[in-house]
Amino acid sequence: MSAPRNRRHILVPGPPTAEEYKPHGRKIDVTKPVPPTSRAKHGKALERALKAAVVEADKRRAEAGIEVHGAVPGLYVQFESQPGVPLQVTSLEDSRQGIEVVAVSYSKTDEPEPRRVERATVFVPEGKVKHFLERFESYAKTTPKKERERRYEDMLDPVATLRLATLRSLWTDATEAYPDENETIWWEVWLRRQDGNELERLMEFAAAQEISVAPRRLMFDDRIVTLVRATPAQFAASIAVLNDVAEVRKAKEAATVFVGMGPEDQGEWAKELRDRVTPPPADAPAVCVLDTGVTRAHPLLDASLDVDDCHTCEPAWGTHDHLGHGTEMAGLALYGDLTPVLAGTQNVVLRHRLESVKILPPDGHSANPPELYGAVTAEAASRAELQAPARQRTFSMSIAATDERDRGQPTSWSAAVDALAAGRSFDPGTHGLDYLDEGDSAAGRLFVLCAGNVEETALSVDHLERSDTEPIHDPGQAWNALTVGALTEKAVINDPEWASWQPVARPGELSPWSTTGMTFADAWPIKPDVVFEGGNVVKNAKGEVEFPCPDLSLLSTYFKPAAKSFVLSGATSAATAQVARLAALISAEYPMYWPETLRALVVHSAEWSAQMQTHLRGASGKRARAKLVQRYGFGVPSVERALRSANDALTLVAQSGIRPFTEGKMRELHFFDLPWPRDVLAQLAATRVRLRITLSYFIEPNPGRRGWKKRHRYASHGLRFDVKGPTESIEEFRKRLNKKALEEDEARPATGGDSSEWFLGEQARNRGSLHSDILWCNAADLAERGVIAVYPVSGWWKDQPKRDRSDKGARYALVVSIQTPGVETDIWTPVAEQVGLPIAIEP
C-alpha cells in the first residue's frame, strides 16, 4: 500500500552548474534531389519564367488602377518544388536586398502514392529581379566549375518551376477553405512589418476598393495581423499595388459548446453549501475565466468574485453572462464537479479566487465581423492584470474555433497565447505583443485551453475512431499552453428515464466529446497535454447517440440563479475549467512556483487510467506509443500527486534560467547534482523503482507560415534533458554531452545515453516545449543517476542573433520524482535532511 501523500515537494536549493556548451556534431544524411537532365535548359527556363512574371506584374499593376502612397513596388514570385523534394526555402531570400520569403504552402500530387509539393512565395522589390537572374545564369553554365565558384545547385535543383504569384499563392490555410471568386469572407491578413505605415496603406487600398477592415489588430515582431472583408476578386489587387501582404487565411469563428439542462428549484442546495464555504482571502491566486462573462450574483460565486474583477473586452458588451457558459465554467474552476461537493457535509475552504473577462460578444450574428481572437485574448489578459497586477493567476479559456483545419500548425490565436505565456504584454496603444518590462527574465503566464469538442451531430458509437480523426481546435495547439482533453469515469446509469440506454465510453476511456492530436504532424507538440473528467454520452439499441444524461454529466453553477442554481456540464470545456482549478491550487500551496512550474506539476501528476494502459501496453513500439499519447496526453492529473510527496514518492522541483545562445552559437548547458536518496536506493538493490522527469519552458513564437525552417523556425529555442548513466562518471557524462569538455584529440565517450530504456524515448518526447518521460529500473542503478543535464537546441533566436533574448535568460522548470511502489521505505526524509527542510508531517 502506498504511503500517504503528506509531505511537501522539495524545491532544489541553489542554481545548477553552468558551463560553456558546444554540442557534438551529428551526421545528417540529406537526400539530394535528382538534378534535371540539363541544368542549362532548366536555368534558361527559370529565367524565361521570371522575365514573364515581371511583364505580367507590370500589366496587373496598370490594370488595377490603384496607387497607394508609400507602397514599395515589386512583385511576388512563387517557386514550386519537384514532387517529394523540399525547397531550400532560406536560400530563396536575401534580407539585405529586401527579398523575403513571405509564405510557404504544400499540396499533394494526384498519384496512387501522393508526393508532397512545396510552394514558397517570395516578395522581390523592384530592381532586385537581377538577384535571381544572375543565379539562373550561373546555374545554367556548362563550362567546368572553378574552385569556390557558386552554381546554386542546392537552391535550384529542387525547383520545378516558378510563376507570378496570385492571391491564392499567399493562402496558407487549408486548401478547401479558399473562397469562390465572388464569395465575400473575412480574411485574416498578415502584413509584413517594415516602416510602420503598413496599416495606413491597407486602409488606403481598402477605401479605393470599398472593402471593410476590422478595427482590431495584433502585432508580432515582424507581422501585423488584421481582418479584411472582401471577395477574392476585390482583394486580389492588393498584391499588385500594396506589397505589404505576407499571407492570408480565413478568419476564425469561435464556438461555445455547453450543456443547458438541469434540475429546477435548487436554491436550498446552494444555500446549504454556501453556509459550509469559507471564502478565499483577498490575496489568493485566481482562475481568470475568459468566456461569456460570469454572473457574480450566484450565491456560490459572489464571495469569490469581486465586482472589480469582472471585465469585458468591449464596454458595450457588459460584464454579465449572456449565454451561461462563463458561469458554468466559473463554478467548475472554483469547486470542480459540484455533485460530490453538494452531497458532502464537510466544510469547504477555498484557497483561490475567480476573475472574469468577457471575450465573446452578446450578439453573434454572422453579419458581424469575426473577432481577431488572438488580439481579444491579449486584451483580456491585460484587463485582468491592470486591475490586480500583483495577483497570481491562471487563465482558463474553454472557447475554441469552430473548425480544426490547422491540424497543429500555429495561427494568430495560438501564437498570441504563446507570446503572452512567454511574458509578452498587450500594448493597447500599438496593439502589439511587446516586452513592456525589459527585466532579466520576463514573467510568464499559464493558459489552460480546451482541446475542443467533437460536434454534437458527429458523436458516434465508435467514439475513439471519431476522436482520433477530429483534430484539436485552434488555439489548443499553442506550444506554451496546458491543453486539456476529456476522459470519463462516468458509466453507471441509475436514472430510470435512461434505463434503456447504455454509456458509449467505458470508464477510464477518452470521452466521446474529446478531440485529439492524432492527426498532427511530428513537427508539432503532443496535444492534449492532459485529460480530465468531461462526462459521457449514451447509446440505444439502434446505435443512436444521445445526451445529456444526468448520471453521466458534471454539475455546475447556472447563470440565472433566480430560475435555478445548477446546470449539467461536460465535454472539454468542463475538463479545462477543472484543470485550471488544479493549477490554482498548486499556486496557492507553492506561491514561489512559476507558471512554467505549475504546468510541469499538472502534467507530472498525470497518470494513464487502467483502460488507457491497455492500449499503451498493446502498442507496437515507441512510435505507436507516442501516437496514443496524442490521444490521451500524459493522462489524468491528480490533486493529491500535484500538491504532495510521500515517504515513498519523492518529488523534486528545480526552477532556473538558461542562456541558450550567443552570436548565433550555443552558449551554455546546466548540470543538476540533485539531493538524492542514494543510500536508501542502494539498499533496495534489485527492487524495481520508477523515475519520472518533466521539463517545462515557454518559447517565443515566430508565427508566419514560412516553412518553419532555420531562421523561420516557430520556436525561439528548445531545451532537452539527459540523465547520467548508472555506470557513467560525472566527467564522462559531461564529455558525452559537451564537446567543449573534451581534451584535445579526445574521443566522445560511448557510455550512457541509452534512450531505449525510457517509456517514450527522445524522439517521441522531444516535441513542443514540455517534455515528460518515465524510466523503470533497478533501485541500485537509480542510486547512481542523480545528475541531470538541461541543454539547448536550435531556434530562431540562434538563427536571428539581433532578436536573440538569451542574455535575459530563458526560464524553465525541472520536476523529478522517484517512486518505490510496493516497498515500505522512506526516500523523502534523507533528501529533506540534505536540503535542511523540517521533517514535520504536513496535513
Side-chain angles (χ1 to χ4, degrees), residues 729-798:
S729 70
I730 293 177
E731 192 63 18
E732 287 172 328
F733 183 41
R734 288 180 59 240
K735 291 179 178 180
R736 174 164 62 84
L737 293 181
N738 190 6
K739 191 172 183 178
K740 284 204 170 188
L742 296 176
E743 299 291 339
E744 188 175 354
D745 298 327
E746 184 181 11
R748 181 186 186 185
T751 57
D754 185 3
S755 177
S756 64
E757 57 193 353
W758 291 86
F759 185 77
L760 291 178
E762 291 179 6
Q763 188 172 356
R765 74 175 179 237
N766 288 340
R767 296 167 56 184
S769 61
L770 185 142
H771 316 297
S772 189
D773 211 345
I774 297 167
L775 168 70
W776 284 91
C777 64
N778 293 339
D781 284 349
L782 187 57
E784 303 300 324
R785 306 193 74 162
V787 180
I788 298 177
V790 174
Y791 59 93
V793 293
S794 287
W796 62 260
W797 275 358
K798 177 176 177 289

Side-chain angles (χ1 to χ4, degrees), residues 54 56-66 73-75 126 239-241 243:
V54 172
E56 180 65 20
D58 291 339
K59 181 182 175 183
R60 284 188 195 174
R61 195 176 302 119
E63 289 175 347
I66 301 171
L75 73 158
E126 192 171 59
I239 67 169
V241 301
N243 296 330

Side-chain angles (χ1 to χ4, degrees), residues 1 60 69 84 155 229 255 281 408 410 495 693 705 718 721 805 836:
M1 182 176 177
R60 284 188 195 174
H69 295 88
M155 171 188 174
R229 184 168 175 81
D495 190 336
I693 298 177
R705 292 188 178 176
F721 69 79
R805 286 179 55 86

